[in-house]
Every structure is written in structure tokens, then in C-alpha cells.
């Protein structure tokens, strides 16, 4: 039972344009959501997060939107740069876990930004 | 520099052998975690520990064992009972509170030959 789903395995975008990565979840008890970026053979690095009490969080070129009624979140990267090419993982934490780090991950979306 | 160090980066094991993956952190985090990544899949939680000398099973603990004798260290042993051990293993740590991110090491690629 996949509680966090990233239905697009890959996404290709032109440099300078917007990249939109999507994530759906099924567990209504999730209250904290994160995006991680991962290069091959390396560990994931934290990118941005959002609490369920918010619907938007912005950090530089990265913005995460949360639609609780649709159980959907998205990561927007504007403008996209070739260095953004990586696998992006959506992750969620339910309120009853009561600690960070214990996360449920989606399958990942591989973003390719072409010059 | 503060961070999480995993060693070795690549590890080869013969079938039937146990192998131990090392994870050390100097971030002063109480909580540590082991995740496994398989191709085309997300990360899945193997074991986690919130405090020294205590740990709990994650979603896929069968065939694995851990210890937490020091705050800085959380080694993972992949035993011969693990049916599909070939994978990319990631260690992480975090503060022991909700709504915080986990910091990951660089990973260990384990291959059974």
C-alpha cells in the first residue's frame, strides 16, 4: 500500500522554464511534508518542507504547495537550471510518529533540465 | 564539518555471510535511522533509534539487526536471513522532535555475489 505516490517517474524541462513535480498521499494523518533531492550514488539532501497548517512555503527558487483537500502537494522550481537535474523524493510524516526523520517516501521523479 | 559518515561506499558480500555497515554522526542528534533504496522505489525504513541502547523495527526489519551503544554510532548488520540484500543503504539522523528534517549520509551500495 503506497501511502505517498509520485506518479511521474521522469520529467524533462528546458532551462529557464518552470519545473513542477507532483506528489499524492492517502493518509490523512500526515502533517509534515518534505522534498529531498538526490544525485546517483549519493544520499538525499533536504530541499524544502511544509507543515499541514500552511498551503505554501517558499525558499528562493523552490516553492512547495499543499492542497489538503486533494491530498496533493507539488514542488515548483523557477527558473530551472541544469544543476537541478536529479531525482526528487516527496516524503511525509504522520502526526503520530512524533519525531522527525521517520518518514514515508514516494518513489521519486527524475528531473532532467536541458540547456 | 558536521555530518553523517557511512562506510564503506561499496561492499560486496558472498551469499550466506553477515556484513556490517557503519554509520557515524557528529551532529549531536539523538535519533538515527536506516533506510534501504531499491531501483525505481522510494526509501523504506529498516530500523530507527531515538536514544542510546534503544531501537525499534521499521517497515522492513526482517533479516537486519542494529545496535546503538553510542549516541554517534548506529551500525547495521545485514544477516544471511535477508533474502534480497543487494540495495543502496542510507543512514540518517535527526533531532528528536516532530516536524524536522532528516540528514542523510552518502550511502553504502551492497552487492551480494
Amino acid at each position: 500500500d503506497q501511502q505517498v505516490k509520485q506518479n511521474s517517474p521522469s520529467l524533462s524541462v528546458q532551462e529557464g522554464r518552470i519545473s513542477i513535480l507532483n506528489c499524492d498521499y492517502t493518509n490523512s494523518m500526515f502533517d509534515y511534508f518534505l522534498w529531498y533531492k538526490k544525485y546517483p550514488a549519493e544520499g538525499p539532501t533536504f530541499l524544502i518542507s511544509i507543515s499541514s497548517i500552511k498551503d505554501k512555503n517558499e525558499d528562493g527558487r523552490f516553492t512547495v504547495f499543499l492542497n489538503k483537500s486533494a491530498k496533493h502537494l507539488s514542488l515548483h522550481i523557477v527558473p530551472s537550471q541544469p544543476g537541478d537535474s536529479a531525482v526528487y523524493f516527496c516524503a511525509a510524516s504522520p502526526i503520530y510518529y512524533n519525531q522527525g526523520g521517520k518518514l514515508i517516501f514516494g518513489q521519486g521523479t527524475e528531473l532532467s533540465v536541458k540547456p | 564539518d558536521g555530518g553523517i559518515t557511512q562506510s564503506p561506499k561499496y561492499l560486496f558480500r558472498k551469499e550466506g555471510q553477515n556484513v556490517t555497515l557503519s554509520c557515524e554522526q557528529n551532529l549531536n542528534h539523538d535519533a538515527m535511522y536506516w533506510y534501504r533504496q531499491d531501483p525505481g522505489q522510494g526509501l523504506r525504513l529498516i530500523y530507527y533509534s531515538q536514544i542510546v541502547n534503544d531501537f525499534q523495527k521499521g517497515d522492513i526489519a526482517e533479516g537486519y539487526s542494529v545496535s546503538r551503544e553510542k549516541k554517534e554510532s548506529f551500525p547495521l548488520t545485514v544477516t544471511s536471513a535477508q533474502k534480497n540484500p543487494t540495495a543502496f543503504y542510507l543512514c540518517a539522523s535527526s533531532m528528536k522532535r516532530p516536524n524536522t528534517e532528516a540528514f542523510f549520509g552518502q550511502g553504502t551500495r551492497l552487492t551480494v555475489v
Side-chain angles (χ1 to χ4, degrees):
Chain A
D1 178 27
Q2 191 78 24
Q3 297 187 67
V4 178
K5 298 180 183 179
Q6 293 175 257
N7 292 317
S8 298
S10 62
L11 176 67
S12 184
V13 171
Q14 206 68 30
E15 180 179 7
R17 306 293 291 266
I18 184 171
S19 295
I20 300 176
L21 295 95
N22 294 304
C23 179
D24 297 297
Y25 62 95
T26 58
N27 190 339
S28 58
M29 297 300 287
F30 288 150
D31 72 334
Y32 190 63
F33 302 88
L34 308 90
W35 284 94
Y36 281 86
K37 177 181 179 180
K38 185 182 180 302
Y39 294 115
E42 292 187 11
T45 54
F46 170 72
L47 206 53
I48 193 169
S49 63
I50 188 167
S51 167
S52 61
I53 62 173
K54 295 184 175 181
D55 55 17
K56 176 183 174 181
N57 189 26
E58 193 171 352
D59 184 3
R61 295 187 297 115
F62 303 91
T63 302
V64 56
F65 295 92
L66 176 62
N67 182 334
K68 289 185 289 294
S69 60
K71 293 191 175 66
H72 177 85
L73 66 155
S74 61
L75 174 68
H76 292 210
I77 306 173
V78 183
S80 301
Q81 300 173 354
D84 295 330
S85 298
V87 177
Y88 289 78
F89 287 99
C90 170
S93 180
I95 189 169
Y96 47 80
Y97 275 178
N98 199 35
Q99 62 173 308
K102 194 178 168 194
L103 302 168
I104 298 171
F105 284 83
Q107 309 95 309
T109 295
E110 184 172 8
L111 174 65
S112 175
V113 180
K114 302 195 180 301
Chain B
D1 273 26
I4 301 177
T5 302
Q6 290 188 241
S7 61
K9 191 166 178 65
Y10 299 95
L11 191 56
F12 296 88
R13 186 195 92 176
K14 291 183 179 179
E15 281 195 39
Q17 288 182 338
N18 292 356
V19 64
T20 297
L21 283 60
S22 170
C23 177
E24 304 276 335
Q25 56 99 0
N26 60 5
L27 299 168
N28 200 33
H29 285 163
D30 286 308
M32 296 186 74
Y33 313 83
W34 275 104
Y35 285 88
R36 166 180 172 146
Q37 186 192 11
D38 294 285
Q41 296 192 37
L43 284 64
R44 292 181 292 167
L45 184 64
I46 303 172
Y47 266 99
Y48 65 101
S49 168
Q50 299 183 64
I51 196 169
V52 174
N53 292 324
D54 187 45
F55 47 83
Q56 288 79 39
K57 293 181 179 180
D59 300 318
I60 55 166
E62 185 175 351
Y64 300 97
S65 66
V66 293
S67 63
R68 187 86 187 276
E69 297 177 2
K70 299 187 300 182
K71 183 177 182 178
E72 302 79 17
S73 179
F74 192 40
L76 173 75
T77 297
V78 184
T79 74
S80 56
Q82 168 50 232
K83 296 176 183 175
N84 296 298
T86 295
F88 190 53
Y89 291 88
L90 288 156
C91 179
S93 71
S94 76
M95 296 172 67
K96 198 177 72 176
R97 62 174 174 82
N99 294 5
T100 186
E101 68 270 23
F103 295 84
F104 284 84
Q106 292 299 294
T108 294
R109 168 73 62 186
L110 173 64
T111 303
V112 175
V113 297

